[in-house]
Amino acid sequence: MKKKLNVIVVLLSTAIFAFTACSKNDNGTSTVNIRMTDAPASFDKVNIDIREVRVNLTGDSASGWTTLNTKAGIYDLLTLQNGKDTLLATGQVTTGKLKQVRFVLGPNNDVIVGGVSFPLTIPSGSESGLKINVDKNLNATLETLIIDFDAAASIRLEVDGSYKLRPVLQVK
């Protein structure tokens, strides 16, 4: 009887160990993929110059940023509609809570309306980039975030005829 009890304890301990080992990420890191998509908009093109994608797990907006391997380039948001998206950045971060994602933009941002190109002015976007609060737990080995960069809601025609980018970003 004592031998049967010992066998049951060993089997139960093994099962508990195996269950907890499978539910945790062994190396304490997650690979994060940041993808971008867009909702429909009534422009010819919306070109956004993305230079870097950074993530923050600390919540401190002044520090704690990790730069991901970014596919820098000019992205026409309107090519990312109707279920299409593109991989912007990937990288390994410590498993935990992803607090924020930041897009650092370059100077080549424009909107094309009726075949005419207008520069997009980004209030403080060139200094701080475009930031979105996420609050997502990173538990898996691979985590993918799809950011909807809503061009229709983000671009405003100003009284002086210029266009400003006031980004509306959401995690899908």
Side-chain angles (χ1 to χ4, degrees):
M1 180 74 150
K2 187 174 180 181
K3 189 174 183 180
K4 284 184 182 181
L5 185 58
N6 285 342
V7 169
I8 291 172
V9 169
V10 168
L11 289 175
L12 189 55
S13 297
T14 304
I16 290 171
F17 175 75
F19 177 74
T20 58
C22 290
S23 66
K24 291 184 180 176
N25 188 349
D26 290 342
N27 61 7
T29 62
S30 293
T31 299
V32 175
N33 289 330
I34 305 293
R35 302 185 74 82
M36 185 171 60
T37 190
D38 181 35
S42 60
F43 305 108
D44 297 342
K45 286 186 173 190
V46 176
N47 296 313
I48 303 298
D49 185 3
I50 297 179
R51 294 291 161 209
E52 282 184 347
V53 177
R54 299 175 183 165
V55 294
N56 190 317
L57 280 79
T58 67
D60 179 359
S61 61
S63 65
W65 291 98
T66 300
T67 301
L68 301 178
N69 296 323
T70 305
K71 292 183 178 185
I74 299 172
Y75 292 87
D76 177 1
L77 296 179
L78 302 187
T79 64
L80 304 174
Q81 298 177 348
N82 302 318
K84 293 180 185 172
D85 62 53
T86 190
L87 179 65
L88 288 180
T90 188
Q92 287 210 340
V93 297
T94 304
T95 301
K97 183 170 266 203
L98 177 61
K99 300 283 190 171
Q100 299 169 323
V101 175
R102 177 175 281 169
F103 298 109
V104 178
L105 302 183
N108 301 311
N109 303 288
D110 68 341
V111 59
I112 299 175
V113 180
V116 179
S117 176
F118 297 92
L120 276 175
T121 305
I122 306 159
S124 76
S126 59
E127 295 98 37
S128 63
L130 309 177
K131 186 172 61 173
I132 180 171
N133 293 323
V134 177
D135 285 328
K136 177 175 177 49
N137 286 322
L138 302 177
N139 297 319
T141 304
L142 177 63
E143 296 279 357
T144 299
L145 281 119
I146 298 177
I147 307 291
D148 181 6
F149 196 126
D150 190 342
S154 298
I155 298 172
R156 303 270 188 246
L157 175 60
E158 299 295 310
V159 176
D160 66 0
S162 66
Y163 285 86
K164 290 208 188 271
L165 178 66
R166 292 188 173 91
V168 176
L169 305 168
Q170 296 177 344
V171 177
K172 288 193 113 187

